[in-house]
Short mmCIF file of all heavy atoms in Angstrom, two decimals:
data_model
loop_
_atom_site.label_atom_id
_atom_site.label_comp_id
_atom_site.label_asym_id
_atom_site.label_seq_id
_atom_site.Cartn_x
_atom_site.Cartn_y
_atom_site.Cartn_z
N HIS C 219 6.29 14.93 -1.79
CA HIS C 219 5.17 14.68 -2.71
C HIS C 219 3.80 14.86 -2.03
O HIS C 219 2.77 14.59 -2.65
CB HIS C 219 5.29 13.28 -3.30
CG HIS C 219 6.45 13.13 -4.23
ND1 HIS C 219 6.41 13.54 -5.54
CD2 HIS C 219 7.70 12.64 -4.03
CE1 HIS C 219 7.57 13.29 -6.13
NE2 HIS C 219 8.38 12.75 -5.23
N GLY C 220 3.81 15.33 -0.79
CA GLY C 220 2.57 15.64 -0.10
C GLY C 220 1.70 14.43 0.17
O GLY C 220 0.46 14.52 0.13
N VAL C 221 2.32 13.29 0.47
CA VAL C 221 1.59 12.05 0.69
C VAL C 221 1.64 11.68 2.17
O VAL C 221 2.68 11.82 2.82
CB VAL C 221 2.19 10.91 -0.17
CG1 VAL C 221 1.54 9.57 0.17
CG2 VAL C 221 2.01 11.22 -1.64
N ARG C 222 0.53 11.21 2.70
CA ARG C 222 0.46 10.84 4.11
C ARG C 222 1.39 9.66 4.40
O ARG C 222 1.43 8.69 3.66
CB ARG C 222 -0.98 10.47 4.49
CG ARG C 222 -1.17 10.04 5.95
CD ARG C 222 -2.63 10.06 6.34
NE ARG C 222 -3.40 9.06 5.62
CZ ARG C 222 -3.74 7.86 6.13
NH1 ARG C 222 -3.36 7.54 7.35
NH2 ARG C 222 -4.47 7.03 5.43
N LEU C 223 2.13 9.77 5.50
CA LEU C 223 3.05 8.73 5.93
C LEU C 223 2.59 8.19 7.28
O LEU C 223 2.31 8.94 8.21
CB LEU C 223 4.47 9.31 6.07
CG LEU C 223 5.53 8.40 6.71
CD1 LEU C 223 5.77 7.16 5.88
CD2 LEU C 223 6.83 9.19 6.94
N VAL C 224 2.50 6.86 7.37
CA VAL C 224 2.14 6.20 8.63
C VAL C 224 3.32 5.32 9.04
O VAL C 224 3.73 4.43 8.28
CB VAL C 224 0.87 5.35 8.51
CG1 VAL C 224 0.56 4.66 9.82
CG2 VAL C 224 -0.31 6.22 8.08
N GLU C 225 3.86 5.57 10.22
CA GLU C 225 5.00 4.82 10.74
C GLU C 225 4.52 3.87 11.83
O GLU C 225 3.81 4.28 12.76
CB GLU C 225 6.06 5.77 11.28
CG GLU C 225 6.61 6.72 10.21
CD GLU C 225 7.61 7.72 10.75
OE1 GLU C 225 7.60 7.95 11.99
OE2 GLU C 225 8.40 8.25 9.97
N HIS C 226 4.89 2.61 11.71
CA HIS C 226 4.43 1.58 12.64
C HIS C 226 5.55 1.17 13.57
O HIS C 226 6.73 1.14 13.20
CB HIS C 226 3.94 0.35 11.87
CG HIS C 226 2.89 0.65 10.85
ND1 HIS C 226 1.57 0.87 11.16
CD2 HIS C 226 2.98 0.79 9.50
CE1 HIS C 226 0.89 1.12 10.05
NE2 HIS C 226 1.72 1.08 9.03
N GLU C 227 5.19 0.81 14.79
CA GLU C 227 6.14 0.31 15.77
C GLU C 227 6.07 -1.21 15.82
O GLU C 227 5.10 -1.82 15.40
CB GLU C 227 5.85 0.91 17.15
CG GLU C 227 6.00 2.42 17.21
CD GLU C 227 5.73 2.96 18.60
OE1 GLU C 227 5.30 2.16 19.48
OE2 GLU C 227 5.95 4.17 18.82
N GLY C 228 7.12 -1.80 16.36
CA GLY C 228 7.14 -3.24 16.52
C GLY C 228 7.87 -3.92 15.38
O GLY C 228 8.23 -3.29 14.38
N PRO C 229 8.13 -5.23 15.53
CA PRO C 229 8.91 -5.97 14.52
C PRO C 229 8.18 -5.99 13.17
O PRO C 229 6.96 -6.01 13.12
CB PRO C 229 9.03 -7.37 15.11
CG PRO C 229 7.88 -7.48 16.08
CD PRO C 229 7.69 -6.10 16.62
N SER C 230 8.98 -5.99 12.12
CA SER C 230 8.40 -6.03 10.78
C SER C 230 8.47 -7.45 10.24
O SER C 230 9.11 -8.33 10.80
CB SER C 230 9.13 -5.08 9.84
OG SER C 230 10.47 -5.50 9.65
N GLY C 231 7.77 -7.67 9.17
CA GLY C 231 7.70 -8.95 8.48
C GLY C 231 6.76 -8.74 7.32
O GLY C 231 5.93 -7.81 7.34
N ILE C 232 6.84 -9.55 6.30
CA ILE C 232 6.05 -9.28 5.09
C ILE C 232 4.56 -9.27 5.40
O ILE C 232 3.85 -8.31 5.07
CB ILE C 232 6.38 -10.29 3.99
CG1 ILE C 232 7.84 -10.20 3.58
CG2 ILE C 232 5.50 -10.02 2.76
CD1 ILE C 232 8.28 -11.23 2.55
N ALA C 233 4.05 -10.30 6.06
CA ALA C 233 2.62 -10.35 6.37
C ALA C 233 2.22 -9.19 7.27
O ALA C 233 1.20 -8.53 7.04
CB ALA C 233 2.26 -11.69 7.00
N ARG C 234 3.02 -8.95 8.32
CA ARG C 234 2.71 -7.84 9.23
C ARG C 234 2.68 -6.51 8.48
O ARG C 234 1.79 -5.68 8.68
CB ARG C 234 3.74 -7.77 10.36
CG ARG C 234 3.67 -8.89 11.37
CD ARG C 234 4.56 -8.56 12.56
NE ARG C 234 4.71 -9.71 13.44
CZ ARG C 234 5.75 -10.54 13.40
NH1 ARG C 234 6.73 -10.33 12.52
NH2 ARG C 234 5.83 -11.56 14.22
N ASP C 235 3.67 -6.31 7.62
CA ASP C 235 3.76 -5.03 6.91
C ASP C 235 2.59 -4.85 5.96
O ASP C 235 2.04 -3.75 5.83
CB ASP C 235 5.08 -4.94 6.16
CG ASP C 235 6.28 -4.81 7.10
OD1 ASP C 235 6.05 -4.54 8.30
OD2 ASP C 235 7.41 -4.96 6.64
N TRP C 236 2.19 -5.92 5.26
CA TRP C 236 1.06 -5.80 4.34
C TRP C 236 -0.24 -5.56 5.11
O TRP C 236 -1.08 -4.75 4.69
CB TRP C 236 0.95 -7.06 3.49
CG TRP C 236 2.05 -7.20 2.48
CD1 TRP C 236 3.07 -6.34 2.23
CD2 TRP C 236 2.25 -8.30 1.59
NE1 TRP C 236 3.89 -6.82 1.25
CE2 TRP C 236 3.42 -8.02 0.83
CE3 TRP C 236 1.57 -9.49 1.36
CZ2 TRP C 236 3.91 -8.89 -0.15
CZ3 TRP C 236 2.05 -10.37 0.38
CH2 TRP C 236 3.20 -10.07 -0.36
N LEU C 237 -0.41 -6.24 6.24
CA LEU C 237 -1.62 -6.03 7.03
C LEU C 237 -1.65 -4.63 7.63
O LEU C 237 -2.71 -4.00 7.71
CB LEU C 237 -1.71 -7.08 8.14
CG LEU C 237 -2.00 -8.51 7.66
CD1 LEU C 237 -1.86 -9.50 8.81
CD2 LEU C 237 -3.39 -8.61 7.04
N ARG C 238 -0.49 -4.14 8.05
CA ARG C 238 -0.43 -2.76 8.56
C ARG C 238 -0.76 -1.76 7.47
O ARG C 238 -1.45 -0.76 7.72
CB ARG C 238 0.96 -2.48 9.13
CG ARG C 238 1.24 -3.18 10.46
CD ARG C 238 2.71 -3.13 10.82
NE ARG C 238 2.96 -3.67 12.14
CZ ARG C 238 4.17 -3.95 12.63
NH1 ARG C 238 5.24 -3.74 11.87
NH2 ARG C 238 4.32 -4.43 13.85
N ALA C 239 -0.30 -2.03 6.25
CA ALA C 239 -0.63 -1.14 5.14
C ALA C 239 -2.14 -1.12 4.90
O ALA C 239 -2.73 -0.05 4.70
CB ALA C 239 0.11 -1.58 3.88
N LEU C 240 -2.76 -2.29 4.93
CA LEU C 240 -4.21 -2.34 4.75
C LEU C 240 -4.94 -1.60 5.86
O LEU C 240 -5.97 -0.95 5.62
CB LEU C 240 -4.68 -3.80 4.71
CG LEU C 240 -4.29 -4.62 3.48
CD1 LEU C 240 -4.72 -6.08 3.66
CD2 LEU C 240 -4.91 -4.06 2.21
N SER C 241 -4.41 -1.67 7.07
CA SER C 241 -5.07 -1.02 8.21
C SER C 241 -5.06 0.50 8.10
O SER C 241 -5.84 1.18 8.78
CB SER C 241 -4.40 -1.44 9.52
OG SER C 241 -3.12 -0.83 9.67
N CYS C 242 -4.19 1.04 7.26
CA CYS C 242 -4.12 2.50 7.07
C CYS C 242 -5.21 3.01 6.13
O CYS C 242 -5.36 4.22 5.96
CB CYS C 242 -2.76 2.89 6.46
SG CYS C 242 -1.34 2.48 7.48
N CYS C 243 -5.94 2.10 5.50
CA CYS C 243 -6.86 2.48 4.43
C CYS C 243 -8.32 2.36 4.88
O CYS C 243 -8.69 1.41 5.56
CB CYS C 243 -6.63 1.60 3.20
SG CYS C 243 -4.95 1.69 2.55
N ASP C 244 -9.12 3.33 4.47
CA ASP C 244 -10.54 3.29 4.79
C ASP C 244 -11.40 3.18 3.54
O ASP C 244 -12.54 3.64 3.50
CB ASP C 244 -10.95 4.52 5.61
CG ASP C 244 -10.61 5.83 4.90
OD1 ASP C 244 -10.14 5.79 3.74
OD2 ASP C 244 -10.83 6.89 5.50
N ALA C 245 -10.85 2.57 2.50
CA ALA C 245 -11.57 2.36 1.24
C ALA C 245 -11.79 0.86 1.04
O ALA C 245 -11.01 0.04 1.53
CB ALA C 245 -10.77 2.93 0.07
N PRO C 246 -12.85 0.48 0.32
CA PRO C 246 -13.10 -0.95 0.10
C PRO C 246 -12.12 -1.60 -0.85
O PRO C 246 -11.89 -2.80 -0.78
CB PRO C 246 -14.52 -0.98 -0.46
CG PRO C 246 -14.74 0.37 -1.05
CD PRO C 246 -13.96 1.31 -0.19
N LEU C 247 -11.53 -0.81 -1.76
CA LEU C 247 -10.57 -1.34 -2.73
C LEU C 247 -9.18 -0.80 -2.39
O LEU C 247 -8.99 0.41 -2.32
CB LEU C 247 -10.94 -0.92 -4.15
CG LEU C 247 -12.33 -1.30 -4.66
CD1 LEU C 247 -12.55 -0.75 -6.07
CD2 LEU C 247 -12.53 -2.81 -4.64
N VAL C 248 -8.23 -1.71 -2.19
CA VAL C 248 -6.87 -1.30 -1.82
C VAL C 248 -5.86 -2.06 -2.67
O VAL C 248 -5.94 -3.29 -2.80
CB VAL C 248 -6.58 -1.55 -0.33
CG1 VAL C 248 -5.14 -1.15 0.00
CG2 VAL C 248 -7.55 -0.77 0.55
N THR C 249 -4.92 -1.33 -3.23
CA THR C 249 -3.77 -1.91 -3.92
C THR C 249 -2.55 -1.72 -3.04
O THR C 249 -2.22 -0.59 -2.67
CB THR C 249 -3.51 -1.20 -5.27
OG1 THR C 249 -4.72 -1.18 -6.03
CG2 THR C 249 -2.42 -1.93 -6.05
N ILE C 250 -1.90 -2.83 -2.65
CA ILE C 250 -0.66 -2.73 -1.89
C ILE C 250 0.48 -2.58 -2.88
O ILE C 250 0.87 -3.54 -3.56
CB ILE C 250 -0.45 -3.97 -1.00
CG1 ILE C 250 -1.62 -4.12 -0.01
CG2 ILE C 250 0.87 -3.86 -0.25
CD1 ILE C 250 -1.51 -5.35 0.87
N ALA C 251 0.99 -1.38 -2.99
CA ALA C 251 2.08 -1.11 -3.93
C ALA C 251 3.42 -1.46 -3.29
O ALA C 251 3.66 -1.11 -2.13
CB ALA C 251 2.06 0.36 -4.35
N HIS C 252 4.26 -2.16 -4.02
CA HIS C 252 5.58 -2.53 -3.52
C HIS C 252 6.58 -1.47 -3.98
O HIS C 252 6.60 -1.07 -5.15
CB HIS C 252 5.97 -3.90 -4.04
CG HIS C 252 5.06 -4.99 -3.57
ND1 HIS C 252 5.38 -6.32 -3.67
CD2 HIS C 252 3.82 -4.94 -3.00
CE1 HIS C 252 4.39 -7.06 -3.17
NE2 HIS C 252 3.44 -6.24 -2.77
N GLN C 253 7.44 -1.04 -3.10
CA GLN C 253 8.26 0.15 -3.31
C GLN C 253 9.20 0.07 -4.52
O GLN C 253 9.62 1.10 -5.03
CB GLN C 253 9.09 0.42 -2.07
CG GLN C 253 10.13 -0.65 -1.76
CD GLN C 253 10.92 -0.36 -0.51
OE1 GLN C 253 10.66 0.60 0.21
NE2 GLN C 253 11.91 -1.19 -0.23
N ASP C 254 9.53 -1.12 -4.99
CA ASP C 254 10.47 -1.24 -6.09
C ASP C 254 9.80 -1.27 -7.45
O ASP C 254 10.48 -1.26 -8.48
CB ASP C 254 11.31 -2.52 -5.93
CG ASP C 254 12.12 -2.52 -4.65
OD1 ASP C 254 12.47 -1.42 -4.18
OD2 ASP C 254 12.39 -3.61 -4.12
N ASP C 255 8.47 -1.33 -7.48
CA ASP C 255 7.74 -1.54 -8.73
C ASP C 255 7.17 -0.23 -9.27
O ASP C 255 7.18 0.80 -8.59
CB ASP C 255 6.61 -2.56 -8.51
CG ASP C 255 7.14 -3.88 -7.96
OD1 ASP C 255 8.30 -4.22 -8.25
OD2 ASP C 255 6.40 -4.56 -7.23
N VAL C 256 6.65 -0.28 -10.50
CA VAL C 256 6.02 0.90 -11.09
C VAL C 256 4.68 0.49 -11.69
O VAL C 256 4.51 -0.64 -12.17
CB VAL C 256 6.90 1.57 -12.16
CG1 VAL C 256 8.18 2.09 -11.56
CG2 VAL C 256 7.20 0.62 -13.30
N TYR C 257 3.75 1.43 -11.66
CA TYR C 257 2.41 1.21 -12.18
C TYR C 257 2.19 2.10 -13.39
O TYR C 257 2.49 3.30 -13.34
CB TYR C 257 1.37 1.50 -11.09
CG TYR C 257 1.45 0.49 -9.96
CD1 TYR C 257 2.48 0.56 -9.01
CD2 TYR C 257 0.55 -0.56 -9.88
CE1 TYR C 257 2.59 -0.38 -8.01
CE2 TYR C 257 0.66 -1.51 -8.86
CZ TYR C 257 1.67 -1.42 -7.94
OH TYR C 257 1.79 -2.36 -6.95
N LEU C 258 1.68 1.53 -14.47
CA LEU C 258 1.43 2.30 -15.68
C LEU C 258 0.19 3.17 -15.48
O LEU C 258 -0.68 2.85 -14.66
CB LEU C 258 1.29 1.37 -16.87
CG LEU C 258 2.51 0.45 -17.12
CD1 LEU C 258 2.36 -0.31 -18.44
CD2 LEU C 258 3.83 1.22 -17.09
N PRO C 259 0.06 4.27 -16.23
CA PRO C 259 -0.99 5.25 -15.95
C PRO C 259 -2.42 4.71 -15.99
O PRO C 259 -3.30 5.26 -15.33
CB PRO C 259 -0.78 6.31 -17.05
CG PRO C 259 0.68 6.21 -17.36
CD PRO C 259 1.03 4.75 -17.25
N ALA C 260 -2.67 3.64 -16.73
CA ALA C 260 -4.03 3.13 -16.87
C ALA C 260 -4.40 2.09 -15.81
O ALA C 260 -5.51 1.55 -15.84
CB ALA C 260 -4.23 2.52 -18.26
N TYR C 261 -3.50 1.81 -14.86
CA TYR C 261 -3.80 0.75 -13.89
C TYR C 261 -5.11 1.02 -13.15
O TYR C 261 -6.01 0.19 -13.12
CB TYR C 261 -2.66 0.57 -12.88
CG TYR C 261 -2.98 -0.48 -11.83
CD1 TYR C 261 -2.64 -1.81 -12.05
CD2 TYR C 261 -3.67 -0.16 -10.66
CE1 TYR C 261 -2.98 -2.79 -11.13
CE2 TYR C 261 -4.02 -1.13 -9.74
CZ TYR C 261 -3.67 -2.45 -9.97
OH TYR C 261 -4.03 -3.42 -9.05
N ARG C 262 -5.22 2.16 -12.52
CA ARG C 262 -6.37 2.44 -11.66
C ARG C 262 -7.67 2.49 -12.44
O ARG C 262 -8.68 1.91 -12.02
CB ARG C 262 -6.17 3.75 -10.91
CG ARG C 262 -7.31 4.10 -9.98
CD ARG C 262 -7.05 5.45 -9.31
NE ARG C 262 -8.12 5.81 -8.41
CZ ARG C 262 -9.25 6.40 -8.79
NH1 ARG C 262 -9.46 6.66 -10.07
NH2 ARG C 262 -10.17 6.72 -7.90
N SER C 263 -7.70 3.18 -13.56
CA SER C 263 -8.94 3.31 -14.32
C SER C 263 -9.39 1.96 -14.87
O SER C 263 -10.59 1.65 -14.87
CB SER C 263 -8.76 4.32 -15.47
OG SER C 263 -7.69 3.96 -16.31
N THR C 264 -8.43 1.14 -15.32
CA THR C 264 -8.78 -0.19 -15.81
C THR C 264 -9.31 -1.06 -14.68
O THR C 264 -10.30 -1.78 -14.83
CB THR C 264 -7.56 -0.86 -16.45
OG1 THR C 264 -7.06 -0.04 -17.50
CG2 THR C 264 -7.92 -2.23 -17.01
N MET C 265 -8.66 -0.99 -13.52
CA MET C 265 -9.09 -1.76 -12.36
C MET C 265 -10.52 -1.43 -11.97
O MET C 265 -11.36 -2.31 -11.77
CB MET C 265 -8.14 -1.53 -11.20
CG MET C 265 -8.50 -2.24 -9.90
SD MET C 265 -9.70 -1.34 -8.86
CE MET C 265 -8.77 0.14 -8.48
N LEU C 266 -10.83 -0.14 -11.87
CA LEU C 266 -12.18 0.26 -11.47
C LEU C 266 -13.22 -0.20 -12.49
O LEU C 266 -14.29 -0.70 -12.12
CB LEU C 266 -12.26 1.78 -11.30
CG LEU C 266 -11.68 2.35 -10.01
CD1 LEU C 266 -11.71 3.88 -10.06
CD2 LEU C 266 -12.46 1.85 -8.80
#
């Protein structure tokens, strides 16, 4: 799907994984998407 992948080293854990996900982003607004969930098409536009 042509999406950037960042692979982290070291032990995982929910807090660590969420903080690592945030560290990959250089935008002021970040949505941490959980891999099992789905987002409806209007999520981003409504949020902004």
